[in-house]
Amino acid sequence: MIRFENVHKSFGQHEVLKGIDAEIGKGEVVCLIGPSGSGKSTLLRCVNGLETYQKGRITVGDTVVDAAGRSIHDIRTRVSMVFQRFNLFPNRTALENVMEGPLFVLGERRAEVRARAEALLTRVGLAAKIDAYPNSLSGGQQQRVAIARALAMRPEAILFDEPTSALDPEMVGEVLQVMRSLAEEHMTMLVVTHEIHFAREVADSVLFLDGGTIVERGPAKEVLRHPKHERTQDFLRRVTHPV
């Protein structure tokens, strides 16, 4: 579904991605873990052209990702993204936020879009909040609206960029539960996260990035319970048993 081949990305003289090779199969959940600055979010943003990589190749299906090319619009309709900070339109209700993409990007009929948006908000537990504006919603509720908005595009895959890191601890569970339900339905998901328990429980595989390279990869339970690389062991020790 998504393939990275020798992907390099630099910001000025700073090389952030140093030859990434990886594949995400259809229906797979892959979690990217690693310290801040390791290149996880940058790699994610390269998939839908929010960042431009300088070398290598990223493909979604048979389409090469080229941020400056005509195909990027097609990729963005096929691959949705959920951001750390929600990025909802503050002047639109939850329902209107979810309807936005199908109406104005896909050009679908309003009645059909509204029915789907209402069903999606019900699915994420927000049936009573369809007319609420973002500033009246909790962080967890806003992120669930953002997930419903991503699903409204009927994507083939969803990219999650640290979707719980901006939330209060008590709100994290409600967002992760929605993501678990998507995994159970075999939605292709590439997730940048520090939620190690979630990754162990839900992910098919894990990529541990450090310094712009993949240090360790493998089945989630294997990597997270019995990491082979010393750097992975140290990272997991720090995030699961913070001082």
Side-chain angles (χ1 to χ4, degrees), residues 110-128:
R110 178 172 289 274
E112 295 173 0
V113 170
R114 182 185 177 96
R116 186 159 81 248
E118 289 177 348
L120 286 169
L121 287 168
T122 298
R123 173 180 174 175
V124 299
L126 294 174

Side-chain angles (χ1 to χ4, degrees), residues 224-235:
L224 298 175
R225 288 177 176 160
H226 307 289
K228 295 180 175 64
H229 198 283
E230 184 178 344
R231 181 67 186 94
T232 316
Q233 295 169 7
D234 180 62
F235 171 79

Side-chain angles (χ1 to χ4, degrees), residues 83-147:
F83 297 89
Q84 180 178 346
R85 291 284 176 181
F86 325 134
N87 287 8
L88 299 179
F89 294 109
N91 61 333
R92 288 176 170 80
T93 65
L95 183 67
E96 290 167 340
N97 266 281
V98 176
M99 292 176 64
E100 185 84 8
L103 277 179
F104 299 108
V105 178
L106 301 181
E108 296 182 4
R109 294 174 58 186
R110 178 172 289 274
E112 295 173 0
V113 170
R114 182 185 177 96
R116 186 159 81 248
E118 289 177 348
L120 286 169
L121 287 168
T122 298
R123 173 180 174 175
V124 299
L126 294 174
K129 299 290 185 178
I130 64 171
D131 294 321
Y133 287 89
N135 65 3
S136 70
L137 299 174
S138 69
Q141 289 171 333
Q142 289 187 62
Q143 193 61 293
R144 283 184 281 157
V145 173
I147 293 173

